[in-house]
C-alpha cells in the first residue's frame, strides 16, 4: 500500500526542471512544433487518439511532445484531460459503409465493387532504411494532382450476406440499442459485445495484437480472413437539443476491419461464416485487425463453441488487462514510496527468521 | 442522412449550413468572415464551451451500437440585437470558430443570407469539396488489380 510521505519538494522541483531541459534536448537542434508532430508523426498521433479515446489530433500531438515520445505517458495525459471535458452527448452511430476511403482492401474477394485501393501503405515496401530521409528539406515528387469522386464501396460482407453465407449483423430496436459506456460505469462481467468492443478499441495495441496472434498460433484458433479493411473519413452526426435535429459536428478518420471466420454450424445454426469486427480511431490498421480477431475469439459462447481455455477466449482476462493506463497505473505505483509497508514486511521476515533460528537451536539442543 | 428525420425545408437547409460550418477549417472560416467587414453585435446565450461527444459505431458496421471514443467539440449559442438566435457545435477547441459559426447561423436566418451564402458558405463548400476530390484522386491512383496465378498443381 502506498502511504503518503512528506518532504522532497526541492528535489522534485529540480527533477522537473531537468525533465523540461531533457525534453528540449540539445538547444542547437531546432525545437519540434506541435503541428510538426501532428503532420509528420501522424501514426503516433493516431495511436494516442485511439487509446486515449479522444479524437483531437492537436491535443494528441501536444501530449506526445510533453511525454517526450513516450506514447503510454501521452495516452495517460489525454485520458486525464478527457475527464475534465463536459460530456455534451452521444453521436449517432457512424455509417462506415459511406466512408470516403483512402484505403480499402479485401483478402477474400479479388474483384470487389469500388475496387481494391492501397492508399498510403507500408505494405509492399522493402522495409529497408531510407537514408534519403536523413536529409532535411528533401523534395519528393508530389503525386499527380487530379480530381475524382469517392466511389461507392459496398461492404464485402454484404455479398456473403445476400447468399445467407455469413452471420447477419442486425441493429437492435432503438430502445434496446443503448450500449453501456466504460467511461460512465465500471466494467462488469459478463460484458455484452458492445462493451467489449469499447474496451478493445481503446485497449493497448501491443496487448490486443498479442492476444490476436495467440489465436492465429492455435489458442482458440478461428481461421480469420480479412474480408475487408478500410481506412477513411466518416462524418459524425449528433443532435443539437435546442433545435431538435442532427447536424454533422465533424469528421473523423477511422480504420475498420471485418474478418470472415470459419464456422461449422451448431444445433441451431447452419454452417456459415461468422464475423469479427474492429473499428479504431485514425489510421491504425494493425490494431483494427487485432481487435477483429479478439472480438471473434470472445464470441465463442454466442456461437456455442468450446471453451478451449485459451487466454483470448477469457473475457475477464482480456478486458481487465487490455487497458494500458490501468495497467501502467498499477504497475508504476510500486516504485513510489512504500516505506511503511516495507517496514512491516521487513519486521515480519526478521520475526520469521528469528523464530526459525530459535526452533533450529531448540532442535540442536534436544 | 437527413431522411432519418422528417425535416422541414428550412430545417434541412439549416442543418446543411451548420454541418458545413462544423467541418470547415477554422482559419479559412475566420478569414472569410473577417473579409465581410464589421461583425454584428450580439449577446451570449451560452458562451463557447469545449466538451466531448461520445462517437458511436456499430458492431460489424450494421449491428448493435457501441461507444468508440470521444471527439472534442466546441458549442455556443448567441442572440443578435434583432432577436435572431444562432447555434453552433463545431469540431475542435477553437472558440472563435464556434462564435463565427453561430453568427453565420443567425445571419442565415435574415437579410444577410444571400451574401453569406455566396461570400462564405459556397466558397467553403467549393474548397472543401475540391480537397476531397484531390484526395479521392490520390486514392484512385492506388487502385490495383490483383491477378491470381495458376498454381499448376493439376
Amino acid at each position: 500500500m502506498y502511504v503518503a510521505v512528506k518532504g522532497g519538494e526541492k528535489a522534485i522541483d529540480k527533477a522537473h526542471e531537468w525533465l523540461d531541459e531533457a525534453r528540449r534536448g540539445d538547444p542547437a537542434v531546432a525545437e519540434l512544433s506541435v503541428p510538426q508532430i501532428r503532420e509528420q508523426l501522424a501514426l503516433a498521433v493516431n495511436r494516442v487518439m485511439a487509446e486515449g479515446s479522444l479524437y483531437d489530433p492537436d491535443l494528441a500531438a501536444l501530449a506526445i511532445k510533453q511525454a517526450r515520445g513516450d506514447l503510454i505517458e501521452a495516452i495517460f495525459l489525454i485520458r486525464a484531460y478527457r475527464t475534465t471535458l463536459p460530456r455534451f452527448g452521444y453521436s449517432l452511430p457512424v455509417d462506415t459503409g459511406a466512408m470516403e476511403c483512402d484505403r480499402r482492401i479485401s483478402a477474400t474477394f479479388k474483384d470487389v465493387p469500388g475496387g481494391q485501393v492501397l492508399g498510403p501503405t507500408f505494405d509492399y515496401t522493402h522495409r529497408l532504411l531510407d537514408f534519403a530521409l536523413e536529409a532535411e528539406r528533401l523534395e519528393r515528387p508530389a503525386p499527380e494532382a487530379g480530381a475524382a469522386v469517392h466511389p461507392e464501396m459496398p461492404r464485402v460482407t454484404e455479398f456473403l450476406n445476400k447468399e445467407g453465407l455469413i452471420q447477419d449483423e442486425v441493429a437492435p430496436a432503438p430502445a434496446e440499442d443503448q450500449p453501456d459506456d466504460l467511461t460512465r460505469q465500471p466494467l462488469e462481467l459478463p460484458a455484452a459485445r458492445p462493451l467489449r468492443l469499447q474496451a478493445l478499441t481503446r485497449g493497448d495495441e501491443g496487448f490486443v495484437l498479442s492476444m490476436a496472434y495467440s489465436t492465429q498460433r492455435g489458442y482458440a484458433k478461428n481461421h480469420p480472413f480479412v474480408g475487408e479493411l478500410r481506412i477513411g473519413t466518416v462524418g459524425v452526426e449528433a443532435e443539437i437539443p435546442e433545435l431538435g435535429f442532427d447536424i454533422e459536428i465533424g469528421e473523423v478518420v477511422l480504420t475498420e476491419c471485418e474478418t470472415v471466420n470459419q464456422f461449422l454450424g451448431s444445433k441451431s445454426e447452419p454452417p456459415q461464416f461468422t464475423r469479427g469486427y474492429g473499428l479504431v480511431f485514425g489510421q491504425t490498421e494493425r490494431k483494427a485487425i487485432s481487435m477483429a480477431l479478439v472480438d471473434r475469439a470472445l464470441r465463442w459462447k454466442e456461437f456455442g463453441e468450446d471453451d478451449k481455455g485459451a487466454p483470448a477466449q477469457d473475457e475477464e482476462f482480456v478486458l481487465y488487462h487490455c487497458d494500458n493506463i490501468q495497467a501502467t497505473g498499477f504497475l508504476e505505483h510500486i516504485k513510489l514510496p512504500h516505506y511503511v509497508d516495507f517496514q512491516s514486511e521487513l519486521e515480519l521476515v526478521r520475526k520469521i527468521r528469528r523464530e526459525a533460528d530459535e526452533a533450529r537451536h531448540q532442535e540442536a539442543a534436544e | 442522412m437527413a431522411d432519418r428525420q422528417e425535416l422541414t425545408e428550412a430545417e434541412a437547409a439549416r442543418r446543411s449550413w451548420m454541418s458545413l460550418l462544423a467541418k470547415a477549417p477554422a482559419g479559412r472560416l475566420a478569414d472569410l468572415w473577417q473579409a465581410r467587414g464589421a461583425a454584428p453585435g450580439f449577446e451570449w446565450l451560452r458562451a463557447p464551451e469545449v466538451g466531448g461527444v461520445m462517437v458511436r459505431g456499430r458492431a460489424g458496421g450494421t449491428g448493435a451500437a457501441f461507444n468508440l471514443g470521444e471527439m472534442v467539440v466546441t458549442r455556443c449559442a448567441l442572440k443578435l440585437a434583432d432577436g435572431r438566435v444562432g447555434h453552433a457545435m463545431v469540431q475542435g477547441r477553437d472558440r472563435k470558430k464556434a462564435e463565427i459559426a453561430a453568427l453565420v447561423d443567425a445571419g442565415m436566418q435574415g437579410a444577410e443570407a444571400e451574401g453569406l451564402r455566396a461570400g462564405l458558405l459556397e466558397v467553403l463548400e467549393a474548397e472543401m469539396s475540391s480537397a476531397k476530390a484531390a484526395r479521392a484522386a490520390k486514392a484512385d491512383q492506388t487502385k490495383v488489380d490483383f491477378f491470381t496465378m495458376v498454381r499448376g498443381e493439376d
Side-chain angles (χ1 to χ4, degrees):
Chain A
M1 185 179 60
Y2 172 74
V3 179
V5 288
K6 290 178 74 170
E9 289 87 351
K10 200 172 162 206
I12 291 168
D13 286 346
K14 289 291 167 195
H16 289 171
E17 276 174 31
W18 195 5
L19 169 64
D20 290 338
E21 188 192 330
R23 176 186 300 114
R24 177 61 185 84
D26 182 352
V29 177
E31 185 178 347
L32 261 180
S33 72
V34 170
Q36 282 171 341
I37 296 171
R38 186 193 65 218
E39 297 299 318
Q40 297 173 41
L41 296 177
L43 300 189
V45 167
N46 286 182
R47 181 171 177 191
V48 170
M49 293 198 298
E51 295 171 32
S53 202
L54 187 68
Y55 198 99
D56 188 317
D58 293 295
L59 285 177
L62 173 63
I64 291 168
K65 179 172 180 174
Q66 186 178 335
R68 304 179 64 196
D70 178 339
L71 296 189
I72 292 185
E73 182 73 19
I75 292 160
F76 202 156
L77 293 169
I78 291 298
R79 289 275 187 96
Y81 174 81
R82 195 203 66 74
T83 62
T84 67
L85 285 179
R87 171 71 63 82
F88 292 166
Y90 291 86
S91 84
L92 300 175
V94 291
D95 181 6
T96 53
M99 183 184 282
E100 291 169 341
C101 296
D102 292 341
R103 173 166 168 78
R104 190 273 201 128
I105 53 170
S106 170
T108 52
F109 293 101
K110 194 160 57 72
D111 303 305
V112 282
Q116 305 241 13
V117 174
L118 295 180
T121 180
F122 292 126
D123 293 353
Y124 313 108
T125 62
H126 298 293
R127 265 76 181 209
L128 299 173
L129 275 177
D130 179 0
F131 290 100
L133 286 171
E134 273 192 319
E136 288 182 35
R137 281 182 284 277
L138 179 74
E139 296 294 332
R140 297 257 177 187
E144 270 171 65
V149 285
H150 287 281
E152 294 266 324
M153 293 205 175
R155 291 175 183 290
V156 167
T157 45
E158 284 308 305
F159 310 137
L160 290 167
N161 205 12
K162 277 183 195 139
E163 286 184 71
L165 291 177
I166 193 164
Q167 150 260 331
D168 205 0
E169 292 278 11
V170 184
E176 274 98 68
D177 203 14
Q178 298 298 325
D180 289 336
D181 183 351
L182 273 183
T183 66
R184 286 290 179 270
Q185 305 103 17
L187 178 62
E188 278 180 29
L189 300 175
R193 189 171 175 218
L195 196 61
R196 299 199 300 253
L197 291 172
Q198 185 183 11
L200 290 174
T201 191
R202 55 193 244 145
D204 182 75
E205 179 175 314
F207 179 88
V208 182
L209 169 65
S210 292
M211 283 291 122
Y213 179 47
S214 74
T215 69
Q216 289 187 289
R217 288 195 62 254
Y219 293 86
K221 202 172 183 72
N222 54 38
H223 301 281
F225 293 99
V226 172
E228 182 168 2
L229 178 74
R230 51 170 73 194
I231 303 176
T233 306
V234 298
V236 180
E237 295 171 283
E239 195 190 50
I240 306 297
E242 295 88 340
L243 302 181
F245 57 82
D246 313 317
I247 67 161
E248 264 190 74
I249 55 170
E251 290 179 317
V252 293
V253 172
L254 300 177
T255 302
E256 181 185 53
C257 175
E258 285 206 87
T259 57
V260 174
N261 303 68
Q262 212 177 71
F263 179 62
L264 298 175
S266 66
K267 280 179 194 137
S268 55
E269 298 288 333
Q272 61 174 182
F273 293 107
T274 55
R275 312 179 189 212
Y277 189 66
L279 185 67
V280 186
F281 278 159
Q283 180 179 346
T284 42
E285 71 182 55
R286 184 184 303 115
K287 170 73 174 289
I289 300 169
S290 303
M291 176 175 168
L293 264 60
V294 177
D295 169 50
R296 178 59 187 81
L298 289 171
R299 301 179 74 188
W300 63 274
K301 267 187 213 161
E302 189 185 328
F303 297 128
E305 294 173 329
D306 292 335
D307 178 5
K308 298 186 180 131
Q313 286 181 306
D314 183 338
E315 75 172 15
E316 180 174 343
F317 185 82
V318 173
L319 301 183
Y320 274 114
H321 300 106
C322 66
D323 190 288
N324 55 25
I325 299 311
Q326 281 172 8
T328 203
F330 198 54
L331 183 113
E332 293 201 47
H333 101 283
I334 64 175
K335 72 191 173 183
L336 298 174
H338 279 65
Y339 306 134
V340 176
D341 250 11
F342 188 68
Q343 277 302 319
S344 73
E345 294 276 320
L346 202 57
E347 279 306 308
L348 185 66
V349 172
R350 281 186 178 133
K351 183 164 167 258
I352 295 168
R353 284 176 65 113
R354 202 159 49 235
E355 284 168 4
D357 270 356
E358 278 166 14
R360 244 196 326 273
H361 286 306
Q362 198 90 31
E363 264 174 48
E366 283 167 14
Chain B
M1 273 201 244
D3 57 357
R4 204 174 17 238
Q5 293 166 300
E6 288 297 325
L7 296 187
T8 65
E9 205 171 304
E11 282 174 335
R14 190 171 186 189
R15 176 188 193 283
S16 138
W17 75 62
M18 287 182 76
S19 300
L20 181 76
L21 291 163
K23 295 182 290 181
R28 193 65 187 122
L29 176 60
D31 289 348
L32 289 169
W33 175 252
Q34 267 151 26
R36 295 185 49 80
F42 66 89
E43 58 171 304
W44 288 120
L45 297 175
R46 175 194 276 142
E49 181 185 16
V50 177
V53 168
M54 177 59 88
V55 180
R56 283 182 168 164
R58 288 195 179 282
T62 52
F66 70 96
N67 294 306
L68 181 64
E70 283 165 292
M71 65 181 275
V72 178
V73 296
T74 303
R75 69 176 177 188
C76 68
L78 49 77
K79 190 161 80 173
L80 301 184
D82 61 13
R84 280 177 289 165
V85 172
H87 289 280
M89 188 184 280
V90 301
Q91 186 163 20
R93 286 170 297 130
D94 192 325
R95 290 176 165 81
K96 192 70 193 169
K97 178 184 171 184
E99 178 186 324
I100 295 171
L103 282 167
V104 174
D105 180 47
M108 283 301 291
Q109 299 164 55
E112 312 92 300
E114 269 326 295
L116 282 169
R117 193 185 304 279
L120 190 141
L121 294 174
E122 283 173 4
V123 179
L124 283 174
E125 189 163 26
E127 288 172 1
M128 286 157 68
S129 21
S130 98
K132 275 190 193 299
R135 200 163 180 113
K138 273 185 208 160
D140 190 57
Q141 286 161 15
T142 69
K143 196 175 276 186
V144 286
D145 296 310
F146 286 116
F147 298 99
T148 37
M149 309 297 277
V150 176
R151 290 209 282 196
E153 61 234 48
D154 47 20

